[in-house]
Amino acid sequence: MKTELIKADITTLEIDAIVNAANSSLLGGGGVDGAIHRAGGQAILEDCKAIRNKQGKCKTGEAVITTAGHLPANKVIHTVGPVYNKGSKIEEKKEQLANCYKNSLKLAEDNSLTSIAFPNISTGIYKFPKALAAEIAIRTVKQYYSETIEKVVFVCFDDENYEYYKAFLNE
């Protein structure tokens, strides 16, 4: 898999799938989640409601897939990142964050998608330390073997995340 790093708005990418840093309700929220729901429109929300009706809320580290609605991407993969609390089950939180990436990649593979773009999961309102989150994201993606996924794009909205990702990708 080829990896790329860009600083951009993830909702503008023409790619097979963009990943949404969702909350467990799947009904939209702030940050990346809100931006994706606003730009993608009602179709994404309707798919999310159907998933909720079938399985309930999405658990931390898990992922589900929906239409991309009005977005230029083909699909949206919604994953729920962990909320970071200092001193509270840090190893479990790190594993949950890694699972966000693994489960999103697996879902992309299961749907024969060849390209996927990830935002900086859990580094906004969920307060995961940005450097640690970047390290986990890059390590997890690099360790994942896929016969179908050709390209993974890390999409940073801010300079701080971009610099962390750039440093870890260049190691």
Side-chain angles (χ1 to χ4, degrees):
M1 286 185 302
K2 178 182 165 198
T3 57
E4 284 182 30
L5 173 64
I6 61 171
K7 186 172 174 222
D9 176 347
I10 200 166
T11 66
T12 65
L13 300 184
E14 291 182 30
I15 196 162
D16 281 347
I18 62 171
V19 175
N20 179 17
N23 62 51
S24 62
S25 78
L26 299 175
L27 302 181
V32 172
D33 193 17
I36 287 171
H37 275 270
R38 281 189 301 277
Q42 192 67 24
I44 295 173
L45 181 60
E46 293 306 318
D47 275 7
C48 286
K49 285 179 180 177
I51 289 166
R52 273 187 53 132
N53 290 340
K54 184 177 177 183
Q55 74 174 38
K57 291 183 177 185
C58 190
K59 294 178 182 167
T60 303
E62 296 298 315
V64 297
I65 192 167
T66 68
T67 181
H70 301 300
L71 296 168
N74 296 322
K75 296 287 184 183
V76 176
I77 295 174
H78 307 261
T79 190
V80 181
V83 175
Y84 189 89
N85 299 314
K86 284 185 180 174
S88 175
K89 302 178 183 175
I90 301 306
E91 291 308 310
E92 179 184 339
K93 302 293 181 186
K94 288 163 61 174
E95 185 177 335
Q96 288 172 332
L97 184 59
N99 285 339
C100 289
Y101 290 90
K102 288 178 199 168
N103 289 324
S104 295
L105 289 164
K106 177 150 183 9
L107 207 46
E109 242 181 346
D110 291 348
N111 286 273
S112 302
L113 304 176
T114 61
S115 58
I116 185 171
F118 285 101
N120 310 121
I121 299 169
S122 283
T123 63
I125 196 166
Y126 286 5
K127 305 272 189 244
F128 212 98
K130 292 178 180 183
L132 181 57
E135 181 183 4
I136 291 167
I138 291 163
R139 183 182 65 241
T140 303
V141 167
K142 284 185 173 182
Q143 289 175 350
Y144 191 91
Y145 174 76
S146 175
E147 291 188 12
T148 59
I149 301 170
E150 298 169 3
K151 180 169 76 169
V152 175
V153 181
F154 294 108
V155 183
C156 299
F157 193 72
D158 65 273
D159 291 329
E160 186 180 9
N161 272 312
Y162 183 86
E163 291 304 319
Y164 286 127
Y165 274 77
K166 188 166 86 174
F168 287 115
L169 279 169
N170 291 331
E171 282 187 351

